[in-house]
Amino acid sequence: MKKFSKFLAVLLMTLMLTNCATIFGGKVTQYQKTKPADGEPQRNVRVVALIADIVLFWPGAIVDFATGAIYKPQK
């Protein structure tokens, strides 16, 4: 029973710390990490990843925005 409790705790922590754009979005480019200067166009957000973050575990959206993974890479 003790092993099961530890396994369940690790599983729950793993699920709570996941965020869609960081995990499934691929490598984060310099364009995604850099905040646009005044007068430059704003970066586009990956809408599907944002909705998935909000539905599955909303603090994951904070991580995605902090890492820049939530933004679409430049073409």
Side-chain angles (χ1 to χ4, degrees), residues 13-66:
M13 286 175 51
T14 304
L15 288 174
M16 291 182 357
L17 295 175
T18 59
N19 32 29
C20 294
T22 302
I23 294 173
F24 300 113
K27 185 178 178 185
V28 178
T29 63
Q30 190 62 34
Y31 171 78
Q32 291 169 290
K33 291 179 186 178
T34 308
K35 184 177 177 182
D38 292 336
E40 290 183 356
Q42 297 295 314
R43 299 171 287 184
N44 294 325
V45 173
R46 296 178 181 179
V47 177
V48 175
L50 179 61
I51 292 170
D53 279 340
I54 292 170
V55 170
L56 296 176
F57 187 67
W58 64 267
I62 297 169
V63 175
D64 284 343
F65 277 104

